[in-house]
Amino acid sequence: MAKQRITISPITRLEGHGRIELFLDSKGSLENAYFQVPELRGFERFCVGRLAEDMPVLTSRICGVCPESHHLCSTKALDKLFKVEPTRVAKKLRELFYSAYYIYDHILHFYILASPDFVVGLDAKPEERNILGVIKKVGLEVAKEVIKHRAYGQRVLEILGGKTIHPTFGLPGGVSKGLNEEERAEIEKIASSCIEFAKFSIALWKDKLLPAYKELILNDGYKLETYYMGLVDESNKINFYDGKIRVVSPDNKEYAKFEVDNYLEHIAERVEPWSYCKFPYLKKLGWKGLEASKDSGIYRVGPLARVNASEGFATKLANEEYKKFYEFFNCKPVHNTLAYHWARLIEILYAAERLLELTQDKEITGKEIRTYPKSEEKESEGIGVIEAARGTLIHHYVADENKLIKKVNLIVATTHNHAPISISIKEAAKSLIKEGKVDKGILNKIEVAFRAYDPCFACATHALPGHLPLVVNVYNANKKLIRKIANF
């Protein structure tokens, strides 16, 4: 049997662009697999020279799906850079805003990007494996509830941020707008409705999808034994907005817990010439290549990593679901990649409960929404860390005495997960491809391995090695490659 090269391009139902290259040996077994991100954002470079206070607005343009995470992470970095502490009201308003972001973002991924695989079917025709196929299966009434609750999340963002995407809300030391009583009451109703919708979504997973796909979810081809990272509060409970970074090992030992300002002592980034996306790893363990083990510095972030790196949720209903999650798997940490979806649904419930708690906080309509920075004429530095829906997000800025940006480092959630995604694709392909037999259903099951991470490649590509590496493939009318032009 001749060796084969199979390309999946473009990969689908994700934010951004990517492709998968599979190489089969002469026996038809997987020899190697490469996951490539061919797009470039490059914000680390072109933000240099801009006013520091522009950064929350500039960096929110990294992505049209999760601008709120970049916006608030950048704002937190500016708090440090301008050496100003936000007011209590401002912190609560930021967390309220952020809880609403989680609701709409997780609903988007689960129902529109991921559920076509589980609701319509992994082997269904590609033209049916989409949101329209889901609606056909679940009915219009459920579809209306999905659209309504995603819109609810965006409505809260609009109330505080002025618009549903690319908000103008966070300022160093606070926020630009508070809540009046009428707005608070509206959000309180939204939060109550979102709690019920989250409960419905978790029941859908547990009662319908989990029994149908239990074998796949527990399949070793979708399992990686890695380290896990996430922000936690003082009780090691998950916190989306603030806290310390906690890392647990593949055998559930606390490997590290550190202040966000010390992230460079724990995280390093590797650059490969074939990708614009870097490969972060745990510095002390080192880079051992694309290998998941206790000796490898590769770690994961995002919903599954957060539950693994924490000791539960701070709200009642979400914490009950957290316990049921681990009862099902009967182990911790859970290494099953497809469990990301279940953890994501529990996080919708937590975000909705937290949204309700914050709307019922007596301080939430307070007028003290900003501490104004004092003028300071010297170089300064700020690091902001927040849990984006897809995982830990780091913004690190250095500014000169005029508060012009001199240096930017961004480690985005999907960047953290770049190596695990690459390994997950390879392991899934290895378990599925036998004797050279490949069909559309198998290729989709390989894509399922990356989709669980909810990757956002549009956010993740900021490496810029001095020029724009580029390959142009020229094909003739018969789709035969006749020329390749590369500048590296």
Side-chain angles (χ1 to χ4, degrees), residues 79-97:
D79 291 340
K80 301 273 184 66
L81 192 142
F82 285 98
K83 296 179 173 50
V84 61
E85 180 71 15
T87 66
R88 283 166 53 89
V89 177
K91 286 181 180 177
K92 290 178 181 179
L93 286 168
R94 287 181 184 181
E95 193 183 347
L96 184 150
F97 175 88

Side-chain angles (χ1 to χ4, degrees), residues 124-312:
K125 294 177 182 176
E127 59 268 30
E128 295 175 357
R129 230 186 294 120
N130 52 45
I131 184 60
L132 295 178
V134 173
I135 293 172
K136 190 176 177 182
K137 285 275 187 181
V138 302
L140 274 176
E141 290 309 310
V142 173
K144 286 177 184 175
E145 289 299 302
V146 172
I147 293 168
K148 181 174 83 175
H149 287 90
R150 183 172 179 272
Y152 274 168
Q154 291 188 306
R155 170 61 184 152
V156 177
L157 301 178
E158 184 181 25
I159 289 171
L160 285 168
K163 44 192 173 180
T164 54
I165 63 168
H166 300 142
T168 50
F169 178 58
L171 298 168
V175 295
S176 60
K177 181 184 179 303
L179 280 182
N180 60 39
E181 176 52 31
E182 184 181 352
E183 292 165 336
R184 186 209 65 77
E186 180 182 349
I187 297 173
E188 187 178 22
K189 287 181 184 174
I190 285 173
S192 297
S193 184
C194 287
I195 288 173
E196 296 307 312
F197 181 71
K199 288 156 71 175
F200 163 80
S201 301
I202 292 170
L204 171 68
W205 174 267
K206 290 196 297 190
D207 298 342
K208 304 288 185 185
L209 305 183
L210 187 58
Y213 294 97
K214 182 178 176 181
E215 189 177 337
L216 183 79
I217 291 163
L218 299 178
N219 189 302
D220 285 345
Y222 295 91
K223 197 171 179 182
L224 285 188
E225 295 193 5
T226 63
Y227 287 76
Y228 297 94
M229 177 182 288
L231 274 181
V232 294
D233 64 17
E234 61 277 5
S235 303
N236 286 339
K237 303 290 187 187
I238 290 173
N239 195 305
F240 296 153
Y241 175 72
D242 213 357
K244 290 184 179 179
I245 295 175
R246 188 171 192 241
V247 182
V248 298
S249 65
D251 54 359
N252 200 33
K253 302 232 171 35
E254 183 177 281
Y255 172 76
K257 187 176 180 182
F258 53 92
E259 297 286 349
V260 297
D261 288 349
N262 300 327
Y263 83 96
L264 285 174
E265 295 176 16
H266 299 271
I267 301 171
E269 296 177 88
R270 181 178 177 81
V271 175
E272 293 285 355
W274 46 271
S275 179
Y276 294 125
C277 191
K278 299 177 191 173
F279 293 85
Y281 58 94
L282 296 170
K283 206 171 195 173
K284 290 175 185 171
L285 288 169
W287 175 258
K288 308 284 171 55
L290 292 174
E291 174 189 319
S293 71
K294 194 174 179 182
D295 297 328
S296 168
I298 288 175
Y299 59 91
R300 294 198 266 185
V301 299
L304 179 62
R306 281 191 283 265
V307 294
N308 279 336
S310 73
E311 293 176 9

Side-chain angles (χ1 to χ4, degrees), residues 62-91:
I62 289 172
C63 184
V65 176
C66 54
E68 295 79 17
S69 57
H70 288 287
H71 181 72
L72 276 196
C73 192
S74 179
T75 302
K76 290 181 71 179
L78 292 191
D79 291 340
K80 301 273 184 66
L81 192 142
F82 285 98
K83 296 179 173 50
V84 61
E85 180 71 15
T87 66
R88 283 166 53 89
V89 177
K91 286 181 180 177

